[in-house]
Amino acid sequence: MTNEQEMILRELLWLRHGHSIGELYGDDGEMQCHNCMLDFKRDSVERIKERFDQIAFDRMCQAILEQKGELCLNNSNQLDSQKQV
Ligand SMILES: [Zn+2]
């Protein structure tokens, strides 16, 4: 892969990795995302992958925590309805 091809792929990844234009910084040829705290122009491929893996893991943990919260709410609602009976 040539450097030019790598830069095309980096730009596509920067623009299409799921964060909105407001979170991206692209002045003067920069390719950064404030949300991911990644520099798509300079960070190594390994660093970008590691950060994406970390973000995916954090999202999974958050989803589990939210699901547990819903379960707690459902359980407390059931307890409340049992009290009223
Ligand atoms: Zn991002």
Side-chain angles (χ1 to χ4, degrees):
M1 186 185 314
T2 65
N3 281 349
E4 189 181 347
Q5 288 171 325
E6 183 184 332
M7 289 313 287
I8 290 169
L9 288 176
R10 282 175 175 270
E11 185 175 4
L12 287 172
L13 192 59
W14 171 61
L15 286 172
R16 298 168 192 263
H17 73 280
H19 286 135
S20 65
I21 291 292
E23 295 166 299
L24 305 180
Y25 177 74
D27 287 357
D28 300 323
E30 296 296 327
M31 296 190 291
Q32 298 165 9
C33 176
H34 298 301
N35 194 314
C36 295
M37 294 182 294
L38 279 173
D39 184 335
F40 289 85
K41 190 175 177 180
R42 295 177 189 84
D43 284 343
S44 69
V45 172
E46 290 79 11
R47 157 83 180 133
I48 293 171
K49 184 190 180 313
E50 188 178 284
R51 184 73 183 116
F52 279 0
D53 287 347
Q54 187 182 25
I55 290 168
F57 184 76
D58 289 348
R59 282 185 186 152
M60 185 185 70
C61 290
Q62 188 63 38
I64 289 170
L65 285 174
E66 285 172 10
Q67 194 176 31
K68 280 186 177 177
E70 285 175 20
L71 286 174
C72 288
L73 273 177
N74 287 340
N75 283 339
S76 66
N77 286 342
Q78 281 178 349
L79 288 175
D80 286 345
S81 62
Q82 284 171 357
K83 282 179 197 168
Q84 291 168 357
V85 172

mmCIF file of all heavy atoms in Angstrom, residues 57-76:
data_model
loop_
_atom_site.group_PDB
_atom_site.id
_atom_site.type_symbol
_atom_site.label_atom_id
_atom_site.label_comp_id
_atom_site.label_asym_id
_atom_site.label_seq_id
_atom_site.Cartn_x
_atom_site.Cartn_y
_atom_site.Cartn_z
ATOM 1 N N PHE A 57 -15.605 -1.693 24.033
ATOM 2 C CA PHE A 57 -15.713 -2.351 25.341
ATOM 3 C C PHE A 57 -16.464 -1.453 26.328
ATOM 4 O O PHE A 57 -17.350 -1.922 27.054
ATOM 5 C CB PHE A 57 -14.309 -2.673 25.868
ATOM 6 C CG PHE A 57 -14.313 -3.429 27.160
ATOM 7 C CD1 PHE A 57 -14.608 -4.784 27.193
ATOM 8 C CD2 PHE A 57 -14.028 -2.782 28.357
ATOM 9 C CE1 PHE A 57 -14.612 -5.484 28.393
ATOM 10 C CE2 PHE A 57 -14.039 -3.474 29.557
ATOM 11 C CZ PHE A 57 -14.337 -4.822 29.575
ATOM 12 N N ASP A 58 -16.127 -0.154 26.321
ATOM 13 C CA ASP A 58 -16.814 0.791 27.212
ATOM 14 C C ASP A 58 -18.311 0.837 26.916
ATOM 15 O O ASP A 58 -19.139 0.885 27.836
ATOM 16 C CB ASP A 58 -16.220 2.195 27.073
ATOM 17 C CG ASP A 58 -14.830 2.293 27.676
ATOM 18 O OD1 ASP A 58 -14.420 1.352 28.387
ATOM 19 O OD2 ASP A 58 -14.147 3.300 27.421
ATOM 20 N N ARG A 59 -18.668 0.833 25.605
ATOM 21 C CA ARG A 59 -20.084 0.866 25.224
ATOM 22 C C ARG A 59 -20.803 -0.383 25.699
ATOM 23 O O ARG A 59 -21.944 -0.321 26.159
ATOM 24 C CB ARG A 59 -20.222 0.989 23.695
ATOM 25 C CG ARG A 59 -19.981 2.398 23.203
ATOM 26 C CD ARG A 59 -20.252 2.482 21.719
ATOM 27 N NE ARG A 59 -19.891 3.807 21.213
ATOM 28 C CZ ARG A 59 -19.501 4.045 19.986
ATOM 29 N NH1 ARG A 59 -19.416 3.069 19.110
ATOM 30 N NH2 ARG A 59 -19.194 5.266 19.609
ATOM 31 N N MET A 60 -20.124 -1.548 25.575
ATOM 32 C CA MET A 60 -20.724 -2.803 26.012
ATOM 33 C C MET A 60 -20.975 -2.765 27.526
ATOM 34 O O MET A 60 -22.058 -3.130 27.989
ATOM 35 C CB MET A 60 -19.806 -3.969 25.658
ATOM 36 C CG MET A 60 -20.394 -5.330 25.952
ATOM 37 S SD MET A 60 -19.209 -6.651 25.648
ATOM 38 C CE MET A 60 -18.045 -6.380 26.980
ATOM 39 N N CYS A 61 -19.984 -2.288 28.281
ATOM 40 C CA CYS A 61 -20.142 -2.197 29.738
ATOM 41 C C CYS A 61 -21.279 -1.258 30.094
ATOM 42 O O CYS A 61 -22.081 -1.545 30.987
ATOM 43 C CB CYS A 61 -18.844 -1.703 30.382
ATOM 44 S SG CYS A 61 -17.520 -2.902 30.309
ATOM 45 N N GLN A 62 -21.366 -0.126 29.388
ATOM 46 C CA GLN A 62 -22.434 0.842 29.636
ATOM 47 C C GLN A 62 -23.797 0.221 29.367
ATOM 48 O O GLN A 62 -24.743 0.402 30.139
ATOM 49 C CB GLN A 62 -22.213 2.080 28.743
ATOM 50 C CG GLN A 62 -23.138 3.234 29.039
ATOM 51 C CD GLN A 62 -22.940 3.793 30.446
ATOM 52 O OE1 GLN A 62 -21.823 3.877 30.921
ATOM 53 N NE2 GLN A 62 -24.023 4.136 31.105
ATOM 54 N N ALA A 63 -23.897 -0.543 28.256
ATOM 55 C CA ALA A 63 -25.169 -1.193 27.903
ATOM 56 C C ALA A 63 -25.567 -2.194 28.980
ATOM 57 O O ALA A 63 -26.740 -2.290 29.349
ATOM 58 C CB ALA A 63 -25.047 -1.881 26.550
ATOM 59 N N ILE A 64 -24.596 -2.943 29.492
ATOM 60 C CA ILE A 64 -24.883 -3.928 30.550
ATOM 61 C C ILE A 64 -25.357 -3.210 31.808
ATOM 62 O O ILE A 64 -26.345 -3.613 32.433
ATOM 63 C CB ILE A 64 -23.632 -4.799 30.836
ATOM 64 C CG1 ILE A 64 -23.391 -5.732 29.653
ATOM 65 C CG2 ILE A 64 -23.803 -5.579 32.127
ATOM 66 C CD1 ILE A 64 -22.064 -6.459 29.694
ATOM 67 N N LEU A 65 -24.674 -2.118 32.162
ATOM 68 C CA LEU A 65 -25.062 -1.364 33.353
ATOM 69 C C LEU A 65 -26.475 -0.804 33.211
ATOM 70 O O LEU A 65 -27.271 -0.848 34.147
ATOM 71 C CB LEU A 65 -24.076 -0.226 33.613
ATOM 72 C CG LEU A 65 -22.732 -0.641 34.187
ATOM 73 C CD1 LEU A 65 -21.794 0.556 34.250
ATOM 74 C CD2 LEU A 65 -22.902 -1.255 35.568
ATOM 75 N N GLU A 66 -26.791 -0.287 32.004
ATOM 76 C CA GLU A 66 -28.128 0.263 31.778
ATOM 77 C C GLU A 66 -29.184 -0.830 31.859
ATOM 78 O O GLU A 66 -30.265 -0.628 32.400
ATOM 79 C CB GLU A 66 -28.191 0.970 30.424
ATOM 80 C CG GLU A 66 -27.494 2.321 30.460
ATOM 81 C CD GLU A 66 -27.361 2.952 29.089
ATOM 82 O OE1 GLU A 66 -27.974 2.445 28.128
ATOM 83 O OE2 GLU A 66 -26.623 3.953 28.981
ATOM 84 N N GLN A 67 -28.844 -2.013 31.308
ATOM 85 C CA GLN A 67 -29.776 -3.129 31.357
ATOM 86 C C GLN A 67 -30.024 -3.554 32.805
ATOM 87 O O GLN A 67 -31.148 -3.811 33.201
ATOM 88 C CB GLN A 67 -29.211 -4.301 30.551
ATOM 89 C CG GLN A 67 -30.222 -5.375 30.244
ATOM 90 C CD GLN A 67 -29.634 -6.457 29.356
ATOM 91 O OE1 GLN A 67 -28.439 -6.736 29.414
ATOM 92 N NE2 GLN A 67 -30.459 -7.053 28.537
ATOM 93 N N LYS A 68 -28.964 -3.597 33.600
ATOM 94 C CA LYS A 68 -29.106 -3.950 35.012
ATOM 95 C C LYS A 68 -29.960 -2.918 35.730
ATOM 96 O O LYS A 68 -30.762 -3.250 36.585
ATOM 97 C CB LYS A 68 -27.736 -4.047 35.687
ATOM 98 C CG LYS A 68 -27.045 -5.350 35.410
ATOM 99 C CD LYS A 68 -25.771 -5.473 36.216
ATOM 100 C CE LYS A 68 -25.117 -6.824 36.001
ATOM 101 N NZ LYS A 68 -23.860 -6.982 36.692
ATOM 102 N N GLY A 69 -29.795 -1.647 35.362
ATOM 103 C CA GLY A 69 -30.598 -0.590 35.951
ATOM 104 C C GLY A 69 -32.069 -0.793 35.668
ATOM 105 O O GLY A 69 -32.913 -0.643 36.552
ATOM 106 N N GLU A 70 -32.372 -1.195 34.397
ATOM 107 C CA GLU A 70 -33.763 -1.455 34.032
ATOM 108 C C GLU A 70 -34.298 -2.637 34.817
ATOM 109 O O GLU A 70 -35.445 -2.622 35.267
ATOM 110 C CB GLU A 70 -33.877 -1.730 32.523
ATOM 111 C CG GLU A 70 -33.756 -0.476 31.685
ATOM 112 C CD GLU A 70 -33.738 -0.781 30.196
ATOM 113 O OE1 GLU A 70 -34.177 -1.870 29.803
ATOM 114 O OE2 GLU A 70 -33.261 0.082 29.444
ATOM 115 N N LEU A 71 -33.470 -3.677 34.981
ATOM 116 C CA LEU A 71 -33.910 -4.842 35.745
ATOM 117 C C LEU A 71 -34.225 -4.435 37.180
ATOM 118 O O LEU A 71 -35.225 -4.861 37.752
ATOM 119 C CB LEU A 71 -32.823 -5.924 35.735
ATOM 120 C CG LEU A 71 -32.652 -6.691 34.422
ATOM 121 C CD1 LEU A 71 -31.463 -7.630 34.499
ATOM 122 C CD2 LEU A 71 -33.920 -7.473 34.098
ATOM 123 N N CYS A 72 -33.366 -3.575 37.755
ATOM 124 C CA CYS A 72 -33.605 -3.111 39.125
ATOM 125 C C CYS A 72 -34.912 -2.342 39.198
ATOM 126 O O CYS A 72 -35.701 -2.531 40.126
ATOM 127 C CB CYS A 72 -32.462 -2.216 39.589
ATOM 128 S SG CYS A 72 -30.951 -3.122 39.895
ATOM 129 N N LEU A 73 -35.158 -1.465 38.194
ATOM 130 C CA LEU A 73 -36.401 -0.694 38.175
ATOM 131 C C LEU A 73 -37.600 -1.623 38.081
ATOM 132 O O LEU A 73 -38.581 -1.467 38.803
ATOM 133 C CB LEU A 73 -36.403 0.270 36.986
ATOM 134 C CG LEU A 73 -35.749 1.629 37.203
ATOM 135 C CD1 LEU A 73 -35.783 2.425 35.906
ATOM 136 C CD2 LEU A 73 -36.442 2.392 38.316
ATOM 137 N N ASN A 74 -37.513 -2.622 37.160
ATOM 138 C CA ASN A 74 -38.624 -3.571 37.002
ATOM 139 C C ASN A 74 -38.870 -4.329 38.292
ATOM 140 O O ASN A 74 -40.016 -4.515 38.700
ATOM 141 C CB ASN A 74 -38.324 -4.560 35.864
ATOM 142 C CG ASN A 74 -38.444 -3.902 34.508
ATOM 143 O OD1 ASN A 74 -39.087 -2.870 34.382
ATOM 144 N ND2 ASN A 74 -37.830 -4.490 33.509
ATOM 145 N N ASN A 75 -37.806 -4.756 38.943
ATOM 146 C CA ASN A 75 -37.948 -5.498 40.194
ATOM 147 C C ASN A 75 -38.584 -4.636 41.276
ATOM 148 O O ASN A 75 -39.457 -5.090 42.008
ATOM 149 C CB ASN A 75 -36.582 -6.010 40.681
ATOM 150 C CG ASN A 75 -36.143 -7.221 39.875
ATOM 151 O OD1 ASN A 75 -36.961 -7.887 39.261
ATOM 152 N ND2 ASN A 75 -34.857 -7.495 39.873
ATOM 153 N N SER A 76 -38.168 -3.364 41.360
ATOM 154 C CA SER A 76 -38.736 -2.508 42.398
ATOM 155 C C SER A 76 -40.205 -2.206 42.094
ATOM 156 O O SER A 76 -41.018 -2.099 42.999
ATOM 157 C CB SER A 76 -37.924 -1.226 42.548
ATOM 158 O OG SER A 76 -38.015 -0.440 41.394
#
